[in-house]
Amino acid sequence: MKRRDFIALGGFGAAGALVPGWFGRAVAAEVLATPLDAAMKKPLADAGLQAARDAGASYCDVRIGRYLRQYVMTREDKVENVVNGESIGAGIRVIVDGAWGFAATNTLTTQAVADAARQAAAIARANARLQVEPVRLAPAPALGEVAWRTPVVRNGMEVPVEEKVELLLGVNAAAMGAGASFVSSRMFVINEQKYFASTDGSYIDQDVHRIWVPFTVTAIDKASGKFRTRDGLSAPMGMGYEYLDGDRAQRFELPGGVVAYGRSYDMREDAVAAARQAQEKLRAPSVQPGKYDLVVDPSNLFLTIHENVGHPLELDRVLGYEANYAGTSFATLDKRGSYRWGSDIVTLFADKTQPGSLGGVGYDDEGVPTRRWDLVRDGVLVDYQATRDQAHILGKAESDGCCYADSWSSVQFQRMPNVSLAPGKAPLTVAQMIAGVERGLYVHGRGSYSIDQQRYNSQFGGQLFYEIRNGEITGMVEDAAYQIRTPEFWNACSAICDERDFRLGGSFFDGKGQPGQVSAVSHGSATTRFDGINIINTARSL
């Protein structure tokens, strides 16, 4: 059998072998490229809205969703798994007597949707008996019929599985040829086809696309048995398959011989670099613990922003309504408007309109148009993230547009928007920033991390650490992690490169809630300097 035939047959033969519940039912790849009939959506939604009104609802929204997920896994010269998943149905949320109710159905008929609406109303009425304070919804505009689509050049769902597998196996071969001992590569392609309708008078059709291609390269010293890994440095993106067009990759040549990527990615080039850097890590000396000035690349800083800015400024955590996945928040409401979160140059903003971002959409899952707003301005905490039923708590007249559900069968709730660090205002390159550091570390890539239950104390590793002495990179070091307290860390921010270096990182499977849901969110920054940060040696700490 030819390798090309094996790829096609082996891939589809494994399609149902590993299908997590989040993926829905296993389907043939061709199904993923077939759109949902647009004409069926509005009648279904209208049936649910009318049934809810008839059942006494003061408000109702209907979400008809088709969630398509494809997952391709390879290792060295083998295809380990291909998963094609489809989940489709309708979720109905209502307010009756001031209380929420929710129900869902995977049967897309007007009768089934109407029945689900009546069930949601019955649940809301039962909840109202126990509710202390009625739901207060901030107004949302009556948008009529509108649509939004992720700007894609090439729909990832329409790309043949064979082409995707060829890419991943080619990446693996390139890494092995550059000296890797092992390599695994994966591809996630997501398409959310979401239709939202509400009694406010909005009918919103959205087509959302995301893609992620993580890999891990391992190098082994056979004499000692020691091994080191280097993960890919790319970011997951809210884009189509054009992101993987290596011929037009947006490249950033950085000090230390590292190459970063923007709105397109050369996965093969990154894998070759990873193989060489994994070998270099085998020879790198272990870091000396102590105080260092950190120069943090966006590929690492995104996770610190995510864990120590995005999550603690979720209003439900602040209020103590949410404590799953690492607790509540130290950033209590009394700190708003006065708390010194960071130095004067630190402005952290939320923005669900960023092009190419994972959280980029036209409207959230409550039908609210998305926007940008500041969370920390000039170092001071000024705001949080609020949904329609939370806005009044902050004295806001409208929602921030940050409500999301990961499925038609999940109730929507407050989820982190894209949260980013604004780039510096004065011209500053990475090389110029490093030139001003006497004793420091230059950090790349996401590593392990640990956080406390209020997002105050934490520790972050990375993929690559380079030592800086007297303004020059002197070589790679290993076994490093930085320990921080959130406000102390951001107050130690002394310089931020300008917008030319601004890049997105992101989390493709961010967990929250109970029952748990996942969302995808990006975090942008330029390379940033933090002075006097405590560095530990992780090998000596074991």
Side-chain angles (χ1 to χ4, degrees), residues 210-225:
R210 297 190 288 271
I211 189 167
W212 187 31
V213 282
F215 68 79
T216 300
V217 165
T218 302
I220 298 176
D221 181 350
K222 294 182 179 179
S224 65

Side-chain angles (χ1 to χ4, degrees), residues 329-367:
S329 173
F330 76 93
T332 48
L333 287 182
D334 59 294
K335 294 180 173 64
R336 186 186 185 197
S338 60
Y339 187 72
R340 176 55 66 175
W341 190 282
S343 65
D344 291 343
I345 64 173
V346 172
T347 290
L348 294 148
F349 63 92
D351 188 359
K352 287 184 68 66
T353 69
Q354 283 176 299
S357 66
L358 294 171
V361 292
Y363 310 87
D364 78 345
D365 282 357
E366 290 189 305

